[in-house]
């Protein structure tokens, strides 16, 4: 196979391995069928219902549900309202976002709530309301979460509310009062971490669809899948690592993917005591996205009084700004928290609290010299620290 042919094949593979691209979801067929049945039952019974979907990051929760958005089941029967709660300014802003999506006006929080509830009492097409990262709406007395999950009991509301988050026990922990009424109890659907077999099947399926299955040795896919499954079963990281392996091979003269390429990238991503044996001098370096997280944290530390608390939410906001300014793909909060957890695993930062969310406090444990040693691009840190506009 010629180098030029391999190069064009690599391009197709990278496109198909993007976490946002999918034509099918191996390993999640039963979950998708469950979602379909849930929506069909609502339509058949003419009864408003709710569901809570849980599972660790990268287990297919959002993409499985979104795979139904373009189906006739949804487009013919529902008005879809999708809100990623990690991307709105504040928890209270969710009402304005819902009203905006329903095209029923805007205004203050109280005005938006009133408008939404009036709309729910009027004659309308069934509403499929999906609130992703719903734990970001958590507040002191959980008034926002309670109100949203109580909307289905409004007479003639004609709606399905689906909340998505990582925590398995969110409804029990934050919304215990929902148990007092059968009509308020959301149906539960859990997405477990992907197994090594499922990860390998997904990667192989993506490569086959790109017509480049022969480029990636089977034993390399098995190694990659087993390592990631043992850590957290996150398909997004599996796809990221696979893309990085292909990019690494593309830089080689012979353009061949070998087992050592996978070992080098895995050590680069995880770099823990369980890292695989590898003599790559760059194995301790941070991946670009993790470098950007560290840069965002250092910028905040250099511009914040010592008494002020730095939270995951603040670091995430600066991280997003850095990515947008540098034309780098912006990750969502769930992926950002996963990257932050990897940094914590390496001992670079400490995240306080059992459940990581926007309000979790972040501490930097390494000094600047130690961080310099794990950066591929030291100039990146210098540029970020000198750009105070990133904090606006």
């Amino acid at each position: 196979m010629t180098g030029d042919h391999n190069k064009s094949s690599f391009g197709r593979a990278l496109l198909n391995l993007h976490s946002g691209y999918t034509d099918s979801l191996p390993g999640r067929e039963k979950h998708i069928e469950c979602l379909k049945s849930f929506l069909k039952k609502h339509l058949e019974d003419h009864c408003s219902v709710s569901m809570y979907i849980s599972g660790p990051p990268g287990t297919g929760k959002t993409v499985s549900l979104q795979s139904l958005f373009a189906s006739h089941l949804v487009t013919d029967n529902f008005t879809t309202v999708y809100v990623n709660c990690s991307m709105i300014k504040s928890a209270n802003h969710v009402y304005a976002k819902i009203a905006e999506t329903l095209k029923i006006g805007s205004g203050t929080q109280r005005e938006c709530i009133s408008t939404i509830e009036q709309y729910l009492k009027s004659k309308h097409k069934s509403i499929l309301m999906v609130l992703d990262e719903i734990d970001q709406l958590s507040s002191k007395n959980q008034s926002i979460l309670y109100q949203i999950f109580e909307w289905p009991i409004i007479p003639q509301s004609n709606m399905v509310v689906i909340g998505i988050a990582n925590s398995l026990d969110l409804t029990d922990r934050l919304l215990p009062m929902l148990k007092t009424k059968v009509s308020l109890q959301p149906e539960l659907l859990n997405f477990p971490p992907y197994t090594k077999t499922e990860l390998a099947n997904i990667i192989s399926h993506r490569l086959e669809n790109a017509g480049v299955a022969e480029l990636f040795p089977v034993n390399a896919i098995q190694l990659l899948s087993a390592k990631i499954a043992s850590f957290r079963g996150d398909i997004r990281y599996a796809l990221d690592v696979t893309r990085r392996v292909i990019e690494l091979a593309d830089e080689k003269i012979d353009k061949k993917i070998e087992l050592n390429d996978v070992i080098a990238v895995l050590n680069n991503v995880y770099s823990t005591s369980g890292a695989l044996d590898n003599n790559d001098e760059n194995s301790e370096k941070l991946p670009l996205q993790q470098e950007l997280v560290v840069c965002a944290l250092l910028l905040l530390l250099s511009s914040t009084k010592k008494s002020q608390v730095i939270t995951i939410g603040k670091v995430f906001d600066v991280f997003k700004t850095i990515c947008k300014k540098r034309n780098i793909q912006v990750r969502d909060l769930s992926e950002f928290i996963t990257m932050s957890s990897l940094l914590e695993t390496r001992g670079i930062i400490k995240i306080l609290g059992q459940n990581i969310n926007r309000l979790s406090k972040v501490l930097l444990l390494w000094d600047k010299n130690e961080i310099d040693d794990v950066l591929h691009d030291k100039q990146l840190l210098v540029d970020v620290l000198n750009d105070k506009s990133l904090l606006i």
Side-chain angles (χ1 to χ4, degrees):
M1 185 177 286
T2 66
D4 287 343
H5 181 71
N6 262 8
K7 194 169 182 65
S8 63
S9 299
F10 285 161
R12 293 197 305 275
L14 290 172
L15 179 64
N16 274 35
L17 289 165
H18 193 280
S19 58
Y21 168 87
T22 181
D23 65 334
S24 65
L25 295 162
R28 289 297 178 251
E29 295 86 356
K30 289 182 180 178
H31 292 77
I32 292 172
E33 282 304 312
C34 181
L35 290 167
K36 284 181 181 177
S37 298
F38 182 71
L39 296 178
K40 286 177 181 177
K41 192 172 189 306
H42 157 75
L43 294 171
E44 292 167 359
D45 296 348
H46 303 287
C47 180
S48 294
V49 287
S50 64
M51 173 182 277
Y52 173 62
I53 298 175
S54 63
T59 52
K61 303 183 297 295
T62 300
V63 72
S64 293
L65 188 52
Q66 287 180 333
S67 71
L68 298 179
F69 285 177
S71 68
H72 286 297
L73 172 64
V74 173
T75 57
D76 293 349
N77 299 291
F78 291 93
T79 297
T80 302
V81 177
Y82 174 82
V83 180
N84 187 325
C85 301
S86 70
M87 305 300 281
I88 57 179
K89 295 176 183 177
S90 66
N92 291 333
H93 193 67
V94 69
Y95 299 112
K97 187 66 178 175
I98 291 169
E100 176 190 330
T101 307
L102 287 172
K103 300 177 181 177
I104 54 175
S106 59
T108 64
Q109 178 183 335
R110 182 172 295 181
E111 288 169 342
C112 287
I113 294 172
S114 177
T115 302
I116 293 168
E117 293 185 347
Q118 285 175 18
Y119 180 78
L120 293 178
K121 293 172 185 176
S122 65
K123 189 175 181 180
H124 59 271
K125 188 177 181 180
S126 286
I127 298 170
L128 172 57
M129 185 177 295
V130 179
L131 301 171
D132 208 348
E133 309 285 356
I134 198 171
D135 51 327
Q136 300 306 311
L137 300 182
S138 177
S139 56
K140 190 173 183 180
N141 58 7
Q142 308 305 345
S143 58
I144 297 173
L145 285 171
Y146 272 120
Q147 184 163 44
I148 290 172
F149 274 100
E150 287 172 358
W151 278 344
I153 65 171
I154 294 176
Q156 298 178 328
S157 58
N158 197 23
M159 73 184 307
V160 175
V161 173
I162 299 181
I164 305 174
N166 298 336
S167 176
L168 182 64
D169 64 346
L170 181 140
T171 52
D172 289 340
R173 185 165 40 84
L174 300 183
L175 304 170
M177 295 301 290
L178 291 182
K179 287 186 175 181
T180 60
K181 292 183 181 179
V182 174
S183 58
L184 285 176
Q185 291 184 29
E187 188 166 323
L188 305 179
L189 180 62
N190 179 250
F191 282 65
Y194 282 104
T195 65
K196 63 180 181 181
T197 301
E198 289 170 337
L199 291 174
N201 286 343
I202 293 171
I203 293 168
S204 298
H205 178 76
R206 298 285 186 100
L207 294 171
E208 286 168 7
N209 277 2
V212 293
E214 74 282 357
L215 292 180
F216 220 111
V218 174
N219 62 345
I221 293 176
Q222 294 296 332
L223 173 65
L224 185 157
S225 302
K227 178 66 176 178
I228 293 175
S230 70
F231 188 73
R232 62 174 69 227
D234 185 331
I235 185 58
R236 291 181 297 208
Y237 265 84
L239 294 174
D240 280 347
V241 170
T242 309
R243 284 202 308 274
R244 182 59 190 136
V245 170
I246 290 173
E247 289 168 352
L248 196 64
D250 195 24
E251 294 169 3
K252 294 160 60 177
I253 295 174
D254 61 8
K255 307 289 184 186
K256 286 185 178 179
I257 296 173
E258 298 173 342
L259 201 59
N260 282 340
D261 298 324
V262 175
I263 292 172
V265 175
L266 285 171
N267 283 346
N268 189 7
V269 171
Y270 294 106
S271 190
T272 65
S273 58
L276 303 167
D277 290 334
N278 171 30
N279 294 320
D280 184 357
E281 63 181 7
N282 290 319
S283 65
E284 294 297 313
K285 301 294 185 183
L286 289 176
L288 174 60
Q289 295 277 355
Q290 291 180 41
E291 286 189 12
L292 295 176
V293 177
V294 173
C295 289
L297 177 57
L298 282 169
L299 177 59
L300 280 167
L301 286 169
S302 68
S303 310
T304 306
K305 295 179 181 178
K306 287 187 177 180
S307 58
Q308 289 185 300
V309 172
I310 294 178
T311 62
I312 282 285
K314 289 180 181 178
V315 182
F316 177 57
D317 290 340
V318 175
F319 167 81
K320 285 193 298 182
T321 305
I322 295 172
C323 289
K324 288 175 182 175
K325 198 161 187 177
R326 293 178 171 271
N327 294 317
I328 297 170
Q329 181 189 0
V330 179
R331 303 302 182 97
D332 62 23
L333 183 62
S334 176
E335 291 177 294
F336 178 83
I337 287 174
T338 299
M339 289 189 289
S340 299
S341 297
L342 288 171
L343 290 170
E344 185 176 36
T345 300
R346 292 187 64 161
I348 298 174
I349 64 173
K350 175 69 176 175
I351 304 172
L352 305 182
Q354 290 184 332
N355 298 302
I356 305 176
N357 55 44
R358 284 188 69 93
L359 301 179
S360 300
K361 297 177 184 177
V362 186
L363 304 176
L364 180 66
L365 302 182
W366 285 15
D367 61 32
K368 189 173 178 300
N369 289 334
E370 289 176 303
I371 289 171
D372 279 342
D373 289 340
V374 295
L375 293 180
H376 279 288
D377 187 354
K378 294 179 175 59
Q379 188 59 43
L380 171 64
L381 178 58
V382 174
D383 293 342
V384 168
L385 292 179
N386 288 331
D387 189 355
K388 302 302 180 185
S389 68
L390 295 168
L391 296 170
I392 297 175

